[in-house]
């Protein structure tokens, strides 16, 4: 099972970004189909349950890197592809799902490092930018050890994330009225008007 996981991670890292594009019809790219969460989880279950978290983390990180390559490719696409926005959205959603899976492999505080901190920040920003589409997937985000650690390293980001996960519109308004918190939008490249709109929808 471990060898299969490692091989898949290598294939993803070596694959052309076009083979990883999400949001297409099934069958267009078998590798892209494989990255569907349900499909991959079913494959992992077939390969065996004794796959160490470190090996799963490496696989999930390869998928995250792949989605970054897909996004970079799509951002340069000037062909007028009418499905481009759909593909960009699908790539972002796929990346966020696997960033969450990466974070879930850090189960103890003693395992946390600079890599887990990077993914915790990335996942938090992703959840704030798009709290609607992956609402159920992101519900447990604030309980993950790497995200809990943001309370000390990135307190304003953590506070804003908590509001999006559990807070109300008034909590958001109170947050944005505090000068020491308001800078979080510029710091993490968050669109304040989009955040306000999403918070209204969540409330």
């Amino acid at each position: 099972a471990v060898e299969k996981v490692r091989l898949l991670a290598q294939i993803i890292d070596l694959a052309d970004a076009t083979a990883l594009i999400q949001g297409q019809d099934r069958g267009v790219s078998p590798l892209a189909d494989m990255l569907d969460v349900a499909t991959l989880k079913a494959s992992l279950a077939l390969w065996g349950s004794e796959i160490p978290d470190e090996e799963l983390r490496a696989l999930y990180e390869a998928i995250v890197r792949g989605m970054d390559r897909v996004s970079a490719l799509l951002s340069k696409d000037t062909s007028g592809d009418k499905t481009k926005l759909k593909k960009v959205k699908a790539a972002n959603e796929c990346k966020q799902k696997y960033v969450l899976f990466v974070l879930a492999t850090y189960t103890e505080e003693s395992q946390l490092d600079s890599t887990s901190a990077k993914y915790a920040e990335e996942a938090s920003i992703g959840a704030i930018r798009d709290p609607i589409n992956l609402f159920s997937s992101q519900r447990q985000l604030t309980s993950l050890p790497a995200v809990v650690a943001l309370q000390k390293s990135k307190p304003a980001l953590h506070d804003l994330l908590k509001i999006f996960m559990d807070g109300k519109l008034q909590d958001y308004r109170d947050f944005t009225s505090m000068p020491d918190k308001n800078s979080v939008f510029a710091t993490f490249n968050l669109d304040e008007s989009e955040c306000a709109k999403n918070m209204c929808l969540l409330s």
Side-chain angles (χ1 to χ4, degrees), residues 150-168:
L150 290 177
Q151 284 179 304
K152 293 180 181 177
S153 60
K154 302 279 191 311
L157 179 64
H158 185 269
D159 288 350
L160 184 58
L161 175 66
K162 286 279 286 181
I163 290 169
F164 271 86
M165 293 294 105
D166 304 309
K168 295 182 171 57

Side-chain angles (χ1 to χ4, degrees), residues 23-94:
Q24 306 180 97
D25 292 335
R26 289 189 72 83
V28 173
S29 169
L31 186 54
D33 293 345
M34 181 77 177
L35 303 188
D36 171 74
V37 170
T39 303
L40 182 61
K41 290 289 187 180
S43 297
L44 292 174
L46 281 174
W47 294 347
S49 58
E50 299 304 315
I51 303 172
D53 280 347
E54 295 77 11
E55 299 293 342
L56 291 173
R57 185 185 306 152
L59 172 60
Y60 300 150
E61 286 180 306
I63 298 172
V64 170
R65 289 191 295 272
M67 289 306 106
D68 282 338
R69 298 204 310 279
V70 168
S71 294
L73 175 72
L74 292 172
S75 70
K76 296 173 187 171
D77 181 15
T78 55
S79 67
D81 179 3
K82 292 179 180 177
T83 64
K84 177 179 172 179
L85 287 178
K86 177 187 173 187
K87 290 173 182 174
V88 169
K89 183 172 178 286
N92 289 338
E93 287 186 10
C94 181

Side-chain angles (χ1 to χ4, degrees), residues 4-197:
K4 288 179 180 177
V5 168
R6 289 177 180 172
L7 179 60
L8 180 56
Q10 289 174 350
I11 290 170
I12 292 165
D13 274 332
L14 294 171
D16 190 278
T18 55
L20 303 173
I21 292 175
Q22 302 295 296
Q24 306 180 97
D25 292 335
R26 289 189 72 83
V28 173
S29 169
L31 186 54
D33 293 345
M34 181 77 177
L35 303 188
D36 171 74
V37 170
T39 303
L40 182 61
K41 290 289 187 180
S43 297
L44 292 174
L46 281 174
W47 294 347
S49 58
E50 299 304 315
I51 303 172
D53 280 347
E54 295 77 11
E55 299 293 342
L56 291 173
R57 185 185 306 152
L59 172 60
Y60 300 150
E61 286 180 306
I63 298 172
V64 170
R65 289 191 295 272
M67 289 306 106
D68 282 338
R69 298 204 310 279
V70 168
S71 294
L73 175 72
L74 292 172
S75 70
K76 296 173 187 171
D77 181 15
T78 55
S79 67
D81 179 3
K82 292 179 180 177
T83 64
K84 177 179 172 179
L85 287 178
K86 177 187 173 187
K87 290 173 182 174
V88 169
K89 183 172 178 286
N92 289 338
E93 287 186 10
C94 181
K95 177 182 175 179
Q96 181 72 353
K97 288 175 185 176
Y98 282 103
V99 167
L100 295 174
F101 288 151
V102 170
L103 289 174
T105 65
Y106 291 94
T107 55
E108 304 290 339
E109 192 175 338
S110 59
Q111 297 174 316
L112 302 183
D113 53 18
S114 59
T115 303
S116 65
K118 179 192 81 168
Y119 282 115
E121 181 178 322
E122 207 166 326
S124 299
I125 292 168
I128 292 167
R129 280 190 182 142
D130 187 3
I132 310 292
N133 288 314
L134 296 177
F135 183 78
S136 58
S137 305
Q138 296 174 152
R139 291 302 296 158
Q140 304 304 315
L141 183 56
T142 52
S143 65
L144 297 172
V147 177
V148 172
L150 290 177
Q151 284 179 304
K152 293 180 181 177
S153 60
K154 302 279 191 311
L157 179 64
H158 185 269
D159 288 350
L160 184 58
L161 175 66
K162 286 279 286 181
I163 290 169
F164 271 86
M165 293 294 105
D166 304 309
K168 295 182 171 57
L169 185 57
Q170 189 56 50
D171 298 323
Y172 176 79
R173 287 172 174 157
D174 292 343
F175 178 93
T176 56
S177 69
M178 299 161 67
D180 60 322
K181 302 286 189 184
N182 196 262
S183 61
V184 71
F185 297 100
T187 303
F188 297 103
N189 195 25
L190 294 165
D191 185 323
E192 192 170 349
S193 63
E194 277 296 309
C195 286
K197 184 172 79 174

